[in-house]
Coordinates of all heavy atoms in Angstrom, one line a residue:
M31 N 6.3 -19.8 4.0 CA 7.4 -19.9 4.9 C 8.2 -21.2 4.6 O 7.5 -22.2 4.4 CB 6.9 -19.9 6.3 CG 8.0 -20.0 7.3 SD 7.6 -20.3 9.0 CE 6.6 -21.6 9.0
L32 N 9.4 -21.1 4.7 CA 10.3 -22.3 4.5 C 11.3 -22.4 5.7 O 11.6 -21.4 6.3 CB 11.1 -22.2 3.2 CG 10.4 -22.0 1.9 CD1 11.3 -21.5 0.9 CD2 9.7 -23.3 1.6
R33 N 11.6 -23.6 6.0 CA 12.6 -23.9 7.1 C 13.8 -24.6 6.4 O 13.6 -25.5 5.6 CB 12.0 -24.7 8.2 CG 11.0 -23.9 9.0 CD 10.6 -24.7 10.2 NE 9.5 -24.1 10.9 CZ 9.6 -23.1 11.8 NH1 10.8 -22.6 12.1 NH2 8.6 -22.5 12.4
T34 N 15.0 -24.2 6.8 CA 16.2 -24.8 6.2 C 17.0 -25.3 7.5 O 16.9 -24.7 8.6 CB 17.0 -23.9 5.4 OG1 17.5 -22.7 6.1 CG2 16.2 -23.4 4.2
D35 N 17.9 -26.2 7.2 CA 18.9 -26.6 8.2 C 20.1 -27.1 7.5 O 20.1 -28.1 6.9 CB 18.3 -27.8 9.1 CG 19.1 -28.0 10.4 OD1 20.1 -27.3 10.6 OD2 18.8 -28.9 11.1
T36 N 21.2 -26.2 7.5 CA 22.4 -26.5 6.7 C 23.6 -26.6 7.6 O 23.5 -26.0 8.8 CB 22.6 -25.5 5.6 OG1 22.7 -24.2 6.3 CG2 21.4 -25.4 4.7
T37 N 24.6 -27.3 7.2 CA 25.9 -27.3 8.0 C 26.8 -26.2 7.6 O 27.8 -26.0 8.3 CB 26.5 -28.7 7.7 OG1 26.8 -28.8 6.3 CG2 25.6 -29.8 8.2
A38 N 26.5 -25.4 6.6 CA 27.4 -24.3 6.1 C 26.5 -23.3 5.5 O 25.4 -23.6 5.1 CB 28.4 -24.8 5.1
P39 N 27.0 -22.1 5.3 CA 26.2 -21.0 4.6 C 25.8 -21.6 3.2 O 26.6 -22.3 2.6 CB 27.1 -19.9 4.5 CG 28.0 -20.0 5.7 CD 28.2 -21.5 5.8
A40 N 24.6 -21.2 2.8 CA 24.2 -21.8 1.5 C 23.2 -20.8 0.8 O 22.8 -19.8 1.4 CB 23.5 -23.1 1.6
I41 N 22.9 -21.1 -0.5 CA 21.9 -20.3 -1.2 C 20.6 -21.1 -1.3 O 20.7 -22.3 -1.9 CB 22.4 -19.9 -2.6 CG1 23.6 -19.0 -2.5 CG2 21.2 -19.2 -3.4 CD1 24.2 -18.6 -3.8
L42 N 19.5 -20.7 -0.8 CA 18.2 -21.3 -0.9 C 17.7 -20.9 -2.2 O 17.5 -19.7 -2.5 CB 17.3 -20.9 0.2 CG 15.8 -21.3 0.0 CD1 15.7 -22.9 0.1 CD2 15.0 -20.7 1.1
V43 N 17.5 -21.9 -3.1 CA 17.0 -21.6 -4.5 C 15.6 -22.2 -4.6 O 15.3 -23.3 -4.4 CB 17.9 -22.2 -5.6 CG1 17.3 -21.9 -7.0 CG2 19.3 -21.7 -5.5
L44 N 14.6 -21.3 -5.0 CA 13.3 -21.8 -5.3 C 13.0 -21.8 -6.9 O 13.4 -20.8 -7.5 CB 12.2 -20.8 -4.7 CG 12.3 -20.8 -3.2 CD1 11.2 -19.9 -2.7 CD2 12.0 -22.1 -2.6
A45 N 12.6 -22.9 -7.4 CA 12.3 -23.0 -8.8 C 11.0 -22.4 -9.2 O 10.1 -23.0 -9.7 CB 12.4 -24.5 -9.2
E46 N 10.9 -21.1 -8.8 CA 9.8 -20.2 -9.2 C 10.3 -19.0 -9.8 O 11.4 -18.6 -9.5 CB 9.0 -19.9 -7.9 CG 8.4 -21.1 -7.2 CD 7.6 -20.7 -6.0 OE1 7.7 -19.6 -5.5 OE2 6.9 -21.6 -5.5
A47 N 9.5 -18.4 -10.6 CA 9.9 -17.2 -11.4 C 10.4 -16.0 -10.5 O 9.7 -15.7 -9.5 CB 8.8 -16.8 -12.4
W48 N 11.5 -15.5 -10.9 CA 12.0 -14.2 -10.3 C 11.4 -13.0 -11.0 O 11.3 -13.0 -12.2 CB 13.5 -14.2 -10.4 CG 14.0 -12.8 -10.2 CD1 14.3 -11.9 -11.1 CD2 14.2 -12.2 -8.9 NE1 14.7 -10.7 -10.5 CE2 14.7 -10.8 -9.1 CE3 14.1 -12.6 -7.6 CZ2 15.0 -10.0 -8.1 CZ3 14.4 -11.7 -6.6 CH2 14.8 -10.4 -6.8
Y49 N 10.9 -12.1 -10.2 CA 10.5 -10.8 -10.7 C 10.9 -9.7 -9.7 O 11.0 -10.0 -8.5 CB 8.9 -10.7 -10.8 CG 8.3 -11.6 -11.8 CD1 7.6 -12.8 -11.4 CD2 8.3 -11.4 -13.1 CE1 7.0 -13.6 -12.2 CE2 7.8 -12.2 -14.0 CZ 7.1 -13.4 -13.6 OH 6.5 -14.2 -14.5
P50 N 11.3 -8.6 -10.2 CA 11.7 -7.5 -9.3 C 10.4 -7.3 -8.4 O 9.3 -7.3 -8.8 CB 11.9 -6.3 -10.2 CG 12.3 -6.8 -11.5 CD 11.4 -8.1 -11.6
G51 N 10.7 -7.1 -7.1 CA 9.7 -6.9 -6.1 C 9.7 -8.1 -5.1 O 9.0 -8.0 -4.1
W52 N 10.4 -9.2 -5.3 CA 10.5 -10.2 -4.4 C 11.4 -9.7 -3.2 O 12.5 -9.2 -3.4 CB 11.0 -11.5 -4.9 CG 10.0 -12.3 -5.6 CD1 9.9 -12.5 -7.0 CD2 8.9 -13.0 -5.0 NE1 8.8 -13.3 -7.2 CE2 8.2 -13.7 -6.0 CE3 8.5 -13.2 -3.7 CZ2 7.1 -14.5 -5.8 CZ3 7.4 -14.1 -3.4 CH2 6.7 -14.6 -4.4
E53 N 10.9 -10.0 -2.0 CA 11.7 -9.7 -0.8 C 11.7 -10.9 0.0 O 10.8 -11.7 0.1 CB 11.0 -8.5 0.0 CG 11.0 -7.2 -0.9 CD 10.2 -6.1 -0.2 OE1 9.6 -6.4 0.9 OE2 10.1 -5.0 -0.7
A54 N 12.7 -11.0 0.8 CA 12.9 -12.2 1.7 C 13.3 -11.7 3.2 O 13.9 -10.7 3.3 CB 13.9 -13.2 1.2
E55 N 12.8 -12.6 4.1 CA 13.3 -12.4 5.5 C 13.8 -13.7 6.0 O 13.2 -14.8 5.7 CB 12.1 -12.0 6.4 CG 11.5 -10.6 6.2 CD 10.4 -10.4 7.1 OE1 10.1 -11.2 8.0 OE2 9.7 -9.3 7.0
V56 N 15.0 -13.7 6.6 CA 15.6 -14.9 7.1 C 15.7 -14.6 8.6 O 16.3 -13.7 9.1 CB 17.0 -15.1 6.5 CG1 17.7 -16.3 7.2 CG2 16.9 -15.3 5.0
N57 N 15.0 -15.5 9.4 CA 14.9 -15.4 10.8 C 14.4 -14.0 11.3 O 14.9 -13.4 12.2 CB 16.2 -15.7 11.4 CG 16.6 -17.1 11.2 OD1 15.8 -18.0 11.1 ND2 18.0 -17.3 11.0
G58 N 13.4 -13.5 10.5 CA 12.8 -12.2 10.9 C 13.6 -10.9 10.4 O 13.2 -9.8 10.7
R59 N 14.7 -11.1 9.8 CA 15.5 -10.0 9.3 C 15.5 -9.9 7.8 O 15.6 -10.9 7.1 CB 17.0 -10.1 9.8 CG 17.1 -10.1 11.3 CD 18.5 -10.1 11.7 NE 18.7 -10.2 13.1 CZ 19.7 -10.6 13.8 NH1 20.7 -11.0 13.1 NH2 19.7 -10.5 15.1
P60 N 15.4 -8.7 7.3 CA 15.4 -8.6 5.8 C 16.6 -9.2 5.2 O 17.8 -9.0 5.8 CB 15.4 -7.0 5.6 CG 14.8 -6.5 6.8 CD 15.3 -7.4 7.9
A61 N 16.5 -9.9 4.1 CA 17.7 -10.5 3.4 C 17.6 -10.1 1.9 O 16.4 -10.0 1.4 CB 17.6 -12.0 3.6
Q62 N 18.7 -10.1 1.3 CA 18.7 -9.7 -0.2 C 18.2 -10.9 -1.0 O 18.8 -11.9 -1.0 CB 20.2 -9.4 -0.6 CG 20.3 -9.0 -2.0 CD 19.6 -7.7 -2.3 OE1 19.6 -6.8 -1.6 NE2 19.0 -7.7 -3.5
A63 N 17.1 -10.7 -1.7 CA 16.6 -11.7 -2.7 C 17.2 -11.4 -4.0 O 17.4 -10.2 -4.4 CB 15.1 -11.7 -2.7
F64 N 17.5 -12.4 -4.8 CA 18.2 -12.2 -6.1 C 17.8 -13.3 -7.1 O 17.5 -14.4 -6.7 CB 19.7 -12.1 -5.9 CG 20.3 -13.2 -5.2 CD1 20.8 -14.4 -5.8 CD2 20.5 -13.2 -3.8 CE1 21.3 -15.5 -5.1 CE2 21.0 -14.3 -3.1 CZ 21.4 -15.5 -3.8
P65 N 18.0 -13.0 -8.4 CA 17.7 -14.0 -9.4 C 18.8 -15.1 -9.4 O 20.0 -14.8 -9.2 CB 17.6 -13.2 -10.7 CG 18.4 -11.9 -10.5 CD 18.3 -11.7 -9.0
V66 N 18.4 -16.3 -9.6 CA 19.4 -17.4 -9.7 C 19.1 -18.1 -11.0 O 18.0 -18.4 -11.4 CB 19.2 -18.4 -8.6 CG1 20.1 -19.6 -8.7 CG2 19.4 -17.7 -7.2
N67 N 20.2 -18.5 -11.7 CA 20.1 -19.1 -13.0 C 19.2 -18.4 -14.0 O 18.6 -19.0 -14.9 CB 19.6 -20.6 -12.9 CG 20.6 -21.4 -12.1 OD1 21.8 -21.2 -12.2 ND2 20.1 -22.4 -11.4
G68 N 19.1 -17.1 -13.9 CA 18.5 -16.3 -14.9 C 16.9 -16.2 -14.6 O 16.3 -15.2 -15.1
W69 N 16.3 -17.1 -13.9 CA 14.8 -17.0 -13.8 C 14.3 -17.4 -12.5 O 13.1 -17.1 -12.1 CB 14.2 -17.8 -14.9 CG 14.3 -19.3 -14.7 CD1 15.4 -20.0 -15.2 CD2 13.4 -20.2 -14.1 NE1 15.2 -21.3 -14.9 CE2 14.0 -21.5 -14.3 CE3 12.2 -20.0 -13.5 CZ2 13.4 -22.6 -13.7 CZ3 11.6 -21.2 -13.0 CH2 12.2 -22.4 -13.1
M70 N 15.1 -18.1 -11.6 CA 14.6 -18.6 -10.4 C 15.0 -17.5 -9.3 O 15.7 -16.6 -9.5 CB 15.2 -19.9 -10.0 CG 14.8 -21.0 -10.9 SD 15.5 -22.6 -10.4 CE 17.0 -22.6 -11.3
R71 N 14.5 -17.7 -8.1 CA 14.8 -16.7 -7.0 C 15.6 -17.4 -5.9 O 15.4 -18.6 -5.6 CB 13.6 -16.1 -6.5 CG 12.4 -16.9 -6.1 CD 11.3 -16.0 -5.7 NE 10.1 -16.8 -5.8 CZ 9.3 -17.0 -4.7 NH1 9.5 -16.5 -3.6 NH2 8.2 -17.8 -4.9
G72 N 16.4 -16.7 -5.3 CA 17.3 -17.2 -4.2 C 17.6 -16.2 -3.1 O 17.3 -15.0 -3.3
V73 N 18.0 -16.8 -2.0 CA 18.4 -16.0 -0.8 C 19.5 -16.7 -0.1 O 19.5 -18.0 -0.1 CB 17.2 -15.7 0.1 CG1 16.7 -16.9 0.7 CG2 17.6 -14.6 1.1
V74 N 20.5 -16.0 0.5 CA 21.6 -16.7 1.3 C 21.0 -17.0 2.7 O 20.4 -16.2 3.3 CB 22.8 -15.7 1.3 CG1 23.8 -16.3 2.3 CG2 23.3 -15.5 0.0
V75 N 21.3 -18.2 3.1 CA 21.0 -18.6 4.5 C 22.3 -19.0 5.2 O 23.2 -19.5 4.5 CB 20.0 -19.8 4.6 CG1 18.6 -19.4 4.0 CG2 20.4 -21.0 3.7
Q76 N 22.3 -18.8 6.5 CA 23.5 -19.2 7.3 C 23.5 -20.6 7.7 O 22.4 -21.3 7.6 CB 23.7 -18.2 8.4 CG 23.8 -16.8 8.0 CD 25.0 -16.5 7.1 OE1 26.1 -17.0 7.3 NE2 24.8 -15.8 6.1
A77 N 24.6 -21.1 8.3 CA 24.6 -22.5 8.8 C 23.7 -22.6 10.0 O 23.4 -21.7 10.7 CB 26.0 -22.8 9.2
G78 N 23.0 -23.7 10.0 CA 22.1 -24.0 11.2 C 20.6 -23.8 10.6 O 20.3 -23.8 9.4
A79 N 19.7 -23.8 11.6 CA 18.3 -23.7 11.3 C 17.9 -22.3 11.0 O 18.2 -21.4 11.7 CB 17.5 -24.3 12.4
D80 N 17.2 -22.2 9.9 CA 16.7 -20.8 9.5 C 15.2 -20.9 9.0 O 14.8 -21.9 8.6 CB 17.5 -20.3 8.2 CG 18.9 -19.9 8.7 OD1 19.1 -19.1 9.6 OD2 19.8 -20.5 8.0
K81 N 14.5 -19.8 9.3 CA 13.1 -19.7 8.8 C 13.1 -18.5 7.7 O 13.6 -17.4 8.0 CB 12.2 -19.3 10.0 CG 10.8 -19.0 9.6 CD 10.1 -18.7 10.9 CE 9.0 -17.7 10.6 NZ 8.3 -17.2 11.7
V82 N 12.7 -18.9 6.5 CA 12.7 -18.0 5.4 C 11.3 -17.6 5.0 O 10.5 -18.5 4.8 CB 13.5 -18.5 4.2 CG1 13.5 -17.5 3.1 CG2 14.9 -18.9 4.6
V83 N 10.9 -16.3 5.0 CA 9.6 -15.9 4.6 C 9.8 -15.0 3.3 O 10.6 -14.1 3.3 CB 8.9 -15.1 5.7 CG1 7.6 -14.6 5.2 CG2 8.8 -16.0 6.9
W84 N 8.9 -15.3 2.3 CA 9.0 -14.5 1.0 C 7.8 -13.6 1.0 O 6.7 -14.0 1.4 CB 9.0 -15.4 -0.2 CG 10.2 -16.2 -0.3 CD1 10.5 -17.4 0.2 CD2 11.4 -15.8 -1.0 NE1 11.8 -17.8 -0.2 CE2 12.4 -16.9 -0.9 CE3 11.7 -14.7 -1.8 CZ2 13.6 -16.8 -1.6 CZ3 13.0 -14.6 -2.4 CH2 13.9 -15.7 -2.2
H85 N 8.0 -12.4 0.4 CA 6.9 -11.4 0.2 C 7.1 -10.9 -1.3 O 8.2 -10.7 -1.7 CB 7.0 -10.3 1.1 CG 7.0 -10.6 2.6 ND1 5.9 -10.8 3.3 CD2 8.1 -10.7 3.5 CE1 6.2 -11.1 4.5 NE2 7.5 -11.0 4.6
Y86 N 6.0 -10.6 -1.9 CA 6.0 -10.0 -3.2 C 5.4 -8.7 -3.1 O 4.2 -8.6 -2.8 CB 5.5 -10.9 -4.3 CG 5.6 -10.3 -5.7 CD1 6.8 -10.3 -6.3 CD2 4.5 -9.6 -6.3 CE1 6.9 -9.6 -7.5 CE2 4.6 -9.1 -7.5 CZ 5.9 -9.1 -8.2 OH 5.9 -8.4 -9.4
R87 N 6.1 -7.6 -3.5 CA 5.5 -6.3 -3.6 C 5.7 -5.7 -4.9 O 6.9 -5.3 -5.2 CB 6.1 -5.4 -2.4 CG 5.7 -5.8 -1.1 CD 6.1 -4.8 0.0 NE 5.5 -5.2 1.3 CZ 6.1 -6.0 2.1 NH1 7.2 -6.6 1.8 NH2 5.5 -6.3 3.3
S88 N 4.7 -5.7 -5.7 CA 4.8 -5.1 -7.1 C 5.2 -3.6 -7.0 O 4.6 -2.9 -6.3 CB 3.5 -5.3 -7.8 OG 3.6 -4.7 -9.1
R89 N 6.2 -3.3 -7.8 CA 6.6 -1.9 -7.9 C 5.6 -1.1 -8.7 O 5.6 0.2 -8.6 CB 7.9 -1.8 -8.6 CG 9.0 -2.4 -7.7 CD 10.4 -2.4 -8.4 NE 11.3 -3.1 -7.6 CZ 12.5 -3.4 -7.9 NH1 13.0 -2.9 -9.0 NH2 13.3 -4.0 -7.0
W90 N 4.7 -1.7 -9.5 CA 3.7 -1.0 -10.3 C 2.3 -1.0 -9.8 O 1.4 -0.4 -10.3 CB 3.7 -1.6 -11.7 CG 5.0 -1.4 -12.4 CD1 6.1 -2.3 -12.6 CD2 5.5 -0.2 -13.0 NE1 7.1 -1.7 -13.2 CE2 6.8 -0.4 -13.4 CE3 5.0 1.1 -13.1 CZ2 7.6 0.6 -14.1 CZ3 5.7 2.1 -13.7 CH2 7.0 1.8 -14.2
F91 N 2.1 -1.6 -8.6 CA 0.7 -1.8 -8.1 C 0.1 -0.4 -7.8 O -1.0 0.0 -8.1 CB 0.7 -2.6 -6.8 CG -0.6 -2.8 -6.2 CD1 -1.5 -3.6 -6.8 CD2 -1.0 -2.1 -5.0 CE1 -2.8 -3.8 -6.3 CE2 -2.2 -2.3 -4.5 CZ -3.1 -3.1 -5.1
R92 N 0.9 0.5 -7.0 CA 0.4 1.8 -6.7 C 0.1 2.6 -7.9 O -0.9 3.4 -8.0 CB 1.3 2.5 -5.8 CG 1.3 1.9 -4.4 CD 2.1 2.7 -3.4 NE 2.0 2.1 -2.1 CZ 3.1 1.9 -1.3 NH1 4.3 2.3 -1.7 NH2 2.9 1.4 -0.1
T93 N 1.0 2.6 -8.9 CA 0.8 3.3 -10.1 C -0.4 2.8 -10.9 O -1.2 3.7 -11.3 CB 2.1 3.2 -11.0 OG1 3.3 3.6 -10.3 CG2 1.9 4.0 -12.3
G94 N -0.6 1.5 -10.9 CA -1.8 1.0 -11.6 C -3.0 1.4 -10.9 O -4.1 1.7 -11.6
C95 N -3.1 1.4 -9.6 CA -4.2 1.8 -8.8 C -4.5 3.3 -9.1 O -5.7 3.7 -9.3 CB -4.1 1.6 -7.3 SG -4.1 -0.1 -6.8
A96 N -3.5 4.1 -9.1 CA -3.7 5.6 -9.4 C -4.2 5.8 -10.8 O -5.2 6.6 -10.9 CB -2.4 6.4 -9.2
V97 N -3.8 5.1 -11.7 CA -4.2 5.3 -13.2 C -5.7 4.8 -13.2 O -6.5 5.4 -13.9 CB -3.4 4.5 -14.1 CG1 -4.0 4.4 -15.5 CG2 -2.0 5.1 -14.2
G98 N -6.0 3.7 -12.6 CA -7.4 3.1 -12.6 C -8.3 4.1 -11.9 O -9.5 4.4 -12.4
I99 N -7.9 4.7 -10.8 CA -8.8 5.6 -10.1 C -9.0 6.9 -11.0 O -10.1 7.4 -11.0 CB -8.3 6.0 -8.7 CG1 -8.4 4.8 -7.8 CG2 -8.9 7.2 -8.1 CD1 -7.7 4.9 -6.5
A100 N -7.9 7.4 -11.5 CA -8.0 8.6 -12.4 C -9.0 8.3 -13.6 O -9.8 9.2 -14.0 CB -6.6 9.0 -12.9
A101 N -8.9 7.1 -14.2 CA -9.8 6.8 -15.3 C -11.2 6.7 -14.8 O -12.1 7.1 -15.5 CB -9.3 5.5 -15.9
L102 N -11.5 6.1 -13.6 CA -12.8 6.1 -13.1 C -13.4 7.4 -12.9 O -14.5 7.7 -13.3 CB -12.8 5.3 -11.8 CG -14.2 5.1 -11.1 CD1 -15.2 4.4 -12.0 CD2 -14.0 4.4 -9.8
I103 N -12.6 8.3 -12.3 CA -13.1 9.7 -12.1 C -13.3 10.4 -13.4 O -14.4 11.1 -13.6 CB -12.0 10.5 -11.3 CG1 -12.0 10.0 -9.9 CG2 -12.3 12.0 -11.3 CD1 -10.8 10.5 -9.0
A104 N -12.5 10.2 -14.5 CA -12.7 10.8 -15.7 C -14.1 10.3 -16.4 O -14.8 11.1 -16.9 CB -11.6 10.5 -16.6
C105 N -14.3 9.0 -16.2 CA -15.5 8.4 -16.7 C -16.8 9.0 -16.0 O -17.8 9.3 -16.6 CB -15.5 6.9 -16.6 SG -14.4 6.1 -17.8
L106 N -16.7 9.1 -14.7 CA -17.8 9.7 -13.9 C -18.0 11.1 -14.3 O -19.2 11.5 -14.4 CB -17.5 9.5 -12.4 CG -17.6 8.1 -11.8 CD1 -17.2 8.1 -10.4 CD2 -19.0 7.5 -12.0
V107 N -17.0 11.9 -14.4 CA -17.2 13.3 -14.8 C -17.8 13.4 -16.2 O -18.7 14.2 -16.4 CB -15.8 14.0 -14.8 CG1 -15.9 15.4 -15.5 CG2 -15.3 14.2 -13.4
A108 N -17.4 12.5 -17.1 CA -18.0 12.5 -18.5 C -19.5 12.1 -18.4 O -20.3 12.7 -19.2 CB -17.2 11.6 -19.4
L109 N -19.8 11.2 -17.6 CA -21.2 10.7 -17.5 C -22.1 11.7 -16.8 O -23.3 11.9 -17.1 CB -21.2 9.4 -16.8 CG -20.8 8.2 -17.5 CD1 -20.7 7.0 -16.6 CD2 -21.6 7.9 -18.7
L110 N -21.6 12.5 -15.8 CA -22.4 13.3 -15.0 C -22.5 14.8 -15.6 O -23.3 15.6 -15.1 CB -21.9 13.4 -13.6 CG -22.0 12.1 -12.8 CD1 -21.4 12.2 -11.5 CD2 -23.4 11.6 -12.7
R111 N -21.6 15.0 -16.5 CA -21.6 16.4 -17.1 C -22.8 16.6 -17.9 O -23.2 15.8 -18.8 CB -20.3 16.6 -18.0 CG -20.0 18.0 -18.4 CD -18.8 18.1 -19.2 NE -19.0 17.5 -20.5 CZ -18.1 17.4 -21.4 NH1 -16.9 17.7 -21.1 NH2 -18.4 16.9 -22.6
K112 N -23.5 17.8 -17.7 CA -24.7 18.1 -18.5 C -24.3 18.7 -19.8 O -23.4 19.5 -19.9 CB -25.5 19.1 -17.7 CG -26.3 18.5 -16.6 CD -27.3 19.5 -16.1 CE -28.3 18.7 -15.2 NZ -29.4 19.6 -14.8
E113 N -25.0 18.2 -20.8 CA -24.8 18.7 -22.2 C -25.6 20.0 -22.3 O -26.8 20.0 -21.8 CB -25.2 17.7 -23.2 CG -24.4 16.4 -23.2 CD -23.1 16.7 -23.9 OE1 -22.9 17.5 -24.7 OE2 -22.1 15.9 -23.4
P114 N -25.1 21.0 -22.9 CA -26.0 22.2 -23.1 C -27.1 21.9 -24.1 O -26.9 21.1 -25.0 CB -25.0 23.2 -23.7 CG -23.8 22.4 -24.3 CD -23.8 21.2 -23.4
E115 N -28.3 22.4 -23.8 CA -29.4 22.2 -24.6 C -29.3 22.8 -26.0 O -28.8 24.0 -26.0 CB -30.7 22.7 -23.9 CG -31.0 21.8 -22.7 CD -32.3 22.3 -22.0 OE1 -33.1 22.9 -22.7 OE2 -32.5 22.1 -20.8
A116 N -29.6 22.1 -27.0 CA -29.5 22.7 -28.4 C -30.6 23.6 -28.6 O -31.8 23.4 -28.3 CB -29.5 21.5 -29.4
A117 N -30.3 24.8 -29.2 CA -31.3 25.8 -29.6 C -31.9 25.4 -31.0 O -31.2 25.0 -31.9 CB -30.7 27.2 -29.7
I118 N -33.2 25.5 -31.1 CA -33.9 25.2 -32.3 C -34.2 26.4 -33.1 O -34.6 27.4 -32.7 CB -35.2 24.3 -32.1 CG1 -34.7 23.0 -31.4 CG2 -35.8 24.0 -33.3 CD1 -35.9 22.1 -31.0

């Protein structure tokens, strides 16, 4: 959480890497987060005191979990499957 106090509308810039999935809230309301200078992240704040909260939600997290679970199930099926007995 960050607090700002400005005399005019401004862009709050954080010198941290921008990745798709960053979301911001300004005073409890969703705000558009965007890349600044090609790699940093920013959000517009209005004049006066503001409280800014950042959240990161990976767009690939659910897909990665689903792939991981599917791979685990496939491994378990392969391990638990009985091999037919060979005839001599």
